[in-house]
Structure formats: structure tokens, C-alpha cells
Amino acid sequence: MVVNIRAQTESLTIDEDALVLLGEIGANTSLRYAVQLLTPGMILAKTSGRDTITRADVEDIDSLFFDAKSSAKLLVEQADKYIS
């Protein structure tokens, strides 16, 4: 899996459940978005005193960010609330 290879390249440790979730997120959004969640996931894990990214870390981080398509959709839906 590409996410696993990227995690190894960046010397990140990640649980199998977290990898599965990132795979699902990548399938539903984009691989780029899933890979981009690795860095904030590791920051969250280290902040919590762990060296391994868990499924809970991925869930928390995913709830904080939008992928590009969701972000664009939100901007279009709320266009009237922005200065033009």
C-alpha cells in the first residue's frame, strides 16, 4: 500500500487499523489527502506521548481537515458568505 510505503519513508510507525482507515479515506477522497494526514497524525500521537499513529489519531485528524473536493464544494455552497 502506498500509504504504508510513505510512512516507512518518513520513518513513521502506524497501526494496522490506522493504515486500513487511511486506505478507506484515500479510496473515498484521494490518495494525496490520505498521505497528507500522516504528518498531523504523527504530531497528534507524539503530543499524546506515543510513537505510533493509531486509528483514533487518524479519525481525529480527518475530522479537522477537508480534502480538496470537499473544500471546493463547501466554498461553492457558501459562496454568498464570502466577499467577492
Side-chain angles (χ1 to χ4, degrees), residues 6-45:
R6 180 62 180 260
Q8 289 174 356
T9 301
E10 295 185 19
S11 301
L12 304 176
T13 308
I14 184 164
D15 284 347
E16 186 65 32
D17 286 343
L19 273 175
V20 169
L21 180 57
L22 284 169
E24 292 170 3
I25 291 170
N28 293 329
T29 58
S30 70
L31 181 58
R32 177 181 297 222
Y33 175 69
V35 168
Q36 287 175 335
L37 293 178
L38 287 173
T39 301
M42 192 69 229
I43 292 169
L44 181 59

Side-chain angles (χ1 to χ4, degrees), residues 19-80:
L19 273 175
V20 169
L21 180 57
L22 284 169
E24 292 170 3
I25 291 170
N28 293 329
T29 58
S30 70
L31 181 58
R32 177 181 297 222
Y33 175 69
V35 168
Q36 287 175 335
L37 293 178
L38 287 173
T39 301
M42 192 69 229
I43 292 169
L44 181 59
K46 286 190 185 262
T47 302
S48 300
R50 291 178 279 101
D51 291 326
T52 303
I53 301 170
T54 64
R55 182 180 181 96
D57 295 329
V58 174
E59 290 170 347
D60 288 347
I61 294 300
D62 185 39
S63 71
L64 296 174
F65 296 100
F66 288 114
D67 65 284
K69 290 177 189 173
S70 297
S71 181
K73 181 180 175 188
L74 183 66
L75 287 172
V76 169
E77 290 172 354
Q78 297 180 0
D80 60 324

